[in-house]
Amino acid sequence: MNKPEIYFSGPNYLKFLLEDQKESRLPNWTQLSKIPEIKAIKKIVIVDEYSVNPHCLVWKAFNKLELYFSNGTIKYHELNKKEQIKDVQSGEKFYFILTKCGKVYSLASAKNEEKQMAFDEEDLIEIPLSDPQKCSFDELRLVTFFQEKNLFVESITIGSFTNYFLCKNGKLYGSGLGEDGKFGMENIKNNQLPILIHKNVSRVFTGKDSENFFFITTNNELFSCGYNDYGQLGIGNSVHIVDKPVKINIKKDLQIEKTSQILDLKAFSTHSILLTEEGKLYSCGCKDTYGIGENKSKFTQVHKLRNKKIIKIDGGNNHTLILTSKNELYGYGFDQNQNEPTNEYTQGQWQNPQRIKLPKYFLNLNSLLNISCGHYATFIYVNLNHSLKNDFRDLFESRKFSDSKLVCLNSKIDTNPNKKEQNKEISIPIHKTLIELRTSLKINEIQKIINENNLIAEEINSLLKWIYYDETINANIFKQIFQLLKLTYPPENTLKQDLLKLFKDEDSKDFFILVKDDDDDDDEEDEGENEDDDEIEVEEEEIYEELPVHKLILIARCGLFRDMFDNINEIEQNIHQIKDYSGKSIESLEILIKYLYTNKIVFTGDDDVEFIKEELSDSVEYYQLNENSNLIDQLNKNKNNLI
């Protein structure tokens, strides 16, 4: 995968996402070309309904936001580095930005700018600001309601003109058009500012076109409420409005013991679908319109996909997409303009999940795909948030700090004298530790095989892409190389598994981080100490503990050390140790080093979890980790599993 690509599908008015707006193949898959630096994209959300001027918000890296309008305008926003973005969501005409510290920002406009945006007074209820009339897409505005009440928001879920704010203390607040049971409360009025609707809540689910919602309580129970004309609440009946939460029997209906086994749940206008951690898909509601509820008022497993492991579900106004672990995309439903993600299916066929043909770019990729839906639009792209593979991909592409090489022909031997230049030998720089780790072969053994079989640069680079970041895009060449190297095909190990082996191999570690031992800092003075003013004090030598690591890991994963190695002179290139000046404890640094190898934070029973989390809270910035690093997320998961 040389250059990341994003494809989307939807109505023709979304062609503003293309560089050449005249060249549009919608509703079929179309490559998005307007947005630069695709590799840095973390999430895309779009407003494409009830708007004369549709727009799209792109979240890049940690805190960068780019807002694209159909009139060609682009607005750029960036949060303070101390307020790292956790999520972005889109409503009918606005966006929410949630930070990891629990603050909520709003991007919206209630102005009638050049008559391109039409806002009614009712629409303003959806924007939870004290003065929504003053809001603008030019400014990120803090939703002060939660700060005034000393509340910190954990997650935001948006339905049809309704917003749900789940706070870290388990309290659930709602704002917007909350009548008819959409807040699970009787006689509720529409509220611009959030109101408390439930307590002791751990998770919330709804959908973009949904007028109902589901929530899980802290005592492991699943509830639903709202519109239920088609049995889409999964409670066994089709009562018009359910304005009080009704419990769903997960053990009986879903054959699962705990709600923690529910991976995701999406609610739509006539049906709902539920995904378990095992990859099983359940549905309820009506299939005669846009769903696969099989006319059931309780959740039942989707029969056609029972042999597939589902990993992702999403949907829009009247269409739903389902992604499997093998990057197979299924869909059903259609929007009001008949703009399905592909034009190969009729309305009748879409009542059951149908396989959707993907662009060639996504075929044979090892990386997992991601899907993101607007009301009518669908985005599909490679999940680029795997910072481990991204770091080693960057290392491969830069070829910096290489310590060995492989020599091969530039192309196949040709007797034509005019092509002599193409047949010359070239050197491909490599990193010895990684090559020998992944192949279990010495460099000279690989070189011998290259020479005996006249392998060329294209073939070697195909192998190296797998070695560095697990890419196997050219299956024919890849299989041939594996056979020559006598390696198991298809590969049994992933990069992450092999790096875990490297982490455990203490003998091969070739570098030491020296961490200051602070245990002696508080030593008390001896009682018989000479207090003579003329005595010359002798400064004690600082004591450092050695933390072993592979130099390759520091170079690939950590910008701080990479810059250090890049700036030292040739004489110092072979240094084997460096002092750590971060002031962090060796316990915290050991956790961080494990993360650099595995992309996972692992605590032991002896670790002071809160202390380590506090110490490593600035590590992403201090150690200059990949912009897509999930270090903070891993810290917050607070798992107590041993490697």
Side-chain angles (χ1 to χ4, degrees), residues 125-154:
I125 296 176
E126 197 184 6
I127 305 173
L129 297 171
S130 57
D131 52 351
Q133 290 280 6
K134 297 180 180 180
C135 60
S136 169
F137 283 121
D138 296 324
E139 178 187 7
L140 276 168
R141 299 200 63 198
L142 178 66
V143 180
T144 58
F145 171 87
F146 299 103
Q147 276 61 51
E148 292 169 354
K149 294 185 175 294
N150 198 30
L151 294 169
F152 303 93
V153 178
E154 179 70 23

Side-chain angles (χ1 to χ4, degrees), residues 52-117:
V52 178
N53 181 13
H55 36 86
C56 171
L57 182 66
V58 180
W59 167 23
K60 289 185 177 179
F62 293 124
N63 300 311
K64 296 179 181 179
L65 298 167
E66 298 175 358
L67 187 55
Y68 293 79
F69 292 87
S70 59
N71 62 6
T73 305
I74 305 176
K75 298 183 184 296
Y76 300 92
H77 299 280
E78 186 169 0
L79 265 67
N80 187 295
K81 289 184 178 180
K82 294 182 179 179
E83 293 188 289
Q84 187 176 338
I85 296 175
K86 180 180 181 180
D87 192 18
V88 295
Q89 295 281 350
S90 62
E92 301 295 339
K93 298 184 180 69
F94 69 95
Y95 302 94
F96 282 138
I97 294 89
L98 175 65
T99 70
K100 292 192 175 182
C101 63
K103 292 183 179 180
V104 180
Y105 289 86
S106 177
L107 261 180
S109 178
K111 299 177 181 179
N112 199 345
E113 299 177 353
E114 299 178 1
K115 298 183 179 181
Q116 290 180 336
M117 305 288 291

Side-chain angles (χ1 to χ4, degrees), residues 449-463:
I449 294 173
I450 291 174
N451 296 339
E452 291 175 348
N453 295 274
N454 294 321
L455 298 181
I456 62 174
E458 180 187 3
E459 295 167 329
I460 301 305
N461 281 320
S462 179
L463 172 68

Side-chain angles (χ1 to χ4, degrees), residues 372-603:
S372 178
C373 294
H375 285 279
Y376 299 134
T378 296
F379 294 90
I380 182 167
Y381 48 98
V382 176
N383 188 345
L384 297 174
N385 293 331
H386 196 308
S387 59
L388 185 70
K389 291 183 180 180
N390 287 345
D391 285 337
F392 280 95
R393 178 187 286 110
D394 291 342
L395 183 66
F396 169 76
E397 292 176 351
S398 70
R399 307 298 173 100
K400 294 182 67 173
F401 308 107
S402 57
D403 52 9
S404 189
K405 64 182 180 180
L406 292 173
V407 179
C408 62
L409 294 175
N410 188 44
S411 62
K412 291 296 184 184
I413 296 176
D414 196 316
T415 57
N416 188 336
N418 295 328
K419 296 186 178 181
K420 184 177 180 180
E421 184 69 17
Q422 296 182 14
N423 298 331
K424 70 176 183 179
E425 288 187 342
I426 62 171
S427 296
I428 300 178
I430 57 173
H431 300 84
K432 180 180 177 182
T433 300
L434 191 60
I435 305 301
E436 295 185 347
L437 167 73
R438 297 281 272 153
T439 63
S440 299
L441 295 171
K442 298 297 182 183
I443 298 299
N444 61 338
E445 295 176 310
I446 299 176
Q447 185 62 63
K448 182 179 179 182
I449 294 173
I450 291 174
N451 296 339
E452 291 175 348
N453 295 274
N454 294 321
L455 298 181
I456 62 174
E458 180 187 3
E459 295 167 329
I460 301 305
N461 281 320
S462 179
L463 172 68
L464 293 178
K465 288 179 181 180
W466 170 77
I467 288 175
Y468 278 81
Y469 52 95
D470 276 343
E471 181 171 294
T472 57
I473 192 167
N474 195 325
N476 293 330
I477 293 179
F478 185 70
K479 185 175 182 179
Q480 174 192 354
I481 297 291
F482 258 54
Q483 291 174 342
L484 291 174
L485 297 177
K486 297 182 179 179
L487 300 177
T488 303
Y489 183 86
E492 294 181 344
N493 296 326
T494 66
L495 174 65
K496 189 172 182 179
Q497 289 172 325
D498 283 334
L499 290 177
L500 178 57
K501 294 178 183 177
L502 189 66
F503 171 74
K504 294 179 178 180
D505 185 2
E506 297 292 338
D507 294 337
S508 67
K509 292 180 178 178
D510 55 4
F511 196 83
F512 291 97
I513 300 176
L514 303 183
V515 186
K516 187 177 179 181
D517 185 357
D518 293 329
D519 292 343
D520 298 328
D521 287 355
D522 299 327
D523 287 350
E524 297 181 359
E525 297 179 351
D526 294 336
E527 293 181 1
E529 183 181 1
N530 189 337
E531 298 180 357
D532 189 349
D533 293 338
D534 297 330
E535 182 179 359
I536 299 176
E537 294 184 2
V538 178
E539 184 177 349
E540 294 185 4
E541 183 180 354
E542 292 181 332
I543 300 175
Y544 290 87
E545 293 188 57
E546 294 182 336
L547 189 59
V549 68
H550 292 88
K551 186 177 180 180
L552 173 71
I553 298 298
L554 297 180
I555 289 172
R557 299 280 278 146
C558 184
L560 178 70
F561 291 107
R562 185 163 55 247
D563 290 345
M564 180 197 73
F565 292 128
D566 201 20
N567 293 324
I568 60 180
N569 59 46
E570 292 183 5
I571 298 176
E572 296 173 318
Q573 283 289 344
N574 292 322
I575 62 172
H576 295 285
Q577 63 184 32
I578 187 67
K579 292 180 181 178
D580 180 85
Y581 294 101
S582 67
K584 304 185 192 306
S585 65
I586 193 167
E587 290 81 11
S588 294
L589 288 175
E590 285 175 339
I591 295 290
L592 178 64
I593 293 300
K594 290 179 184 177
Y595 170 81
L596 295 182
Y597 280 88
T598 65
N599 222 45
K600 185 177 181 181
I601 291 292
V602 181
F603 295 116

